[in-house]
Amino acid sequence: MLMKRHDISLMRIERIFLSHLHGDHVFGLFGLLSTLSMSGRTEPLHIYAPEGFDRILYFYREHFLERDTYPVEYHMLAAAEPETVLDDAQLTVTALPLRHRVPAYGFLFKEKEPELNVRKDAVREYSLSVDEILALKAGQDVVRADGTRLCVERLAYMPYEPRSFAYVSDTAVFDALPEMVRGVDLLYHEATFGDDCAEKAGQMYHCTARQAAGIALEAGVGELVIGHFSSRYKDPSVLLCQARDVFPATELAWEGRIFEVPAKKQIL
């Protein structure tokens, strides 16, 4: 299995997000679900997918599941507008309705703002108590008994800016998309075709590399990664060149390549 080859722990997977129900985005799931079962998984697995995935899950259970060791919880995606589908202590995930031949969704992952840090020099200078430190970390000013106000803007700071990543695969261009991914640090966008197949891209509800770059440019993203290339392009560097004509900060996705969005720490 490819994930094992790249040292990804299967047992640590908690949630799976499926953009749409075409075979090239679904077939690999059967092997993963079976491997998790054979490995003795007991923790729930959450799968977010468009309407109709319940029938695929039923088919898998009926024909391929030998040992049912863990629950699979299906979260149906059906909204016509961006919708938050996960909101926990670390991040929010928003499903983004796309334009494809079948119902399809992109996903926007955004880190939550971290708790504020209190300046060490302020702790010493003002002899801050534990309760005062906790209040400042929660973003609250502190007013002491003598009327002294300790302002959170002066004494505390955000240790880093939250990061964001958007995944957009299998979609035609449409006006609302750039706003959906506005300002993300990293955007993955499908680039199935090149300039030579621009008309075909529209017919198939896909994008060209140049169109993906145009979305990145209009949305003001930090970096663009393109993938989902048609097999007709034996050397996808031609797609990279076309994308970089519009948005220079573009890279190619390939199996096993890692893209890291470093935390942008505040400078004190």
Side-chain angles (χ1 to χ4, degrees), residues 64-193:
F64 300 108
L65 182 64
E66 295 182 2
R67 291 194 303 159
D68 194 359
T69 66
Y70 63 96
V72 175
E73 298 188 20
Y74 165 42
H75 304 265
M76 185 176 70
L77 306 176
E81 299 292 335
E83 179 182 39
T84 299
V85 294
L86 175 64
D87 188 352
D88 65 16
Q90 286 77 42
L91 80 165
T92 60
V93 181
T94 303
L96 311 174
L98 303 177
R99 300 290 187 273
H100 197 44
R101 289 170 290 161
V102 296
Y105 291 84
F107 300 98
L108 171 61
F109 301 82
K110 299 185 73 171
E111 285 185 320
K112 293 285 186 69
E113 287 193 356
E115 188 176 54
L116 297 177
N117 282 351
V118 178
R119 298 177 183 274
K120 293 181 179 179
D121 59 332
V123 175
R124 295 190 297 269
E125 181 179 351
Y126 294 97
S127 300
L128 296 175
S129 69
V130 172
D131 287 342
E132 289 173 334
I133 291 174
L134 292 176
L136 290 168
K137 288 174 71 69
Q140 303 167 5
D141 288 351
V142 171
V143 180
R144 288 178 162 172
D146 63 1
T148 302
R149 177 178 290 273
L150 305 178
C151 296
V152 66
E153 289 84 359
R154 291 181 52 247
L155 306 184
Y157 64 96
M158 187 180 296
Y160 62 87
E161 295 180 27
R163 294 167 293 181
S164 56
F165 164 67
Y167 173 89
V168 176
S169 186
D170 289 39
T171 185
V173 177
F174 61 101
D175 291 342
L177 182 53
E179 191 59 38
M180 290 181 181
V181 297
R182 170 115 9 235
V184 298
D185 296 303
L186 179 64
L187 169 64
Y188 170 89
H189 200 293
E190 70 121 305
T192 306
F193 297 106

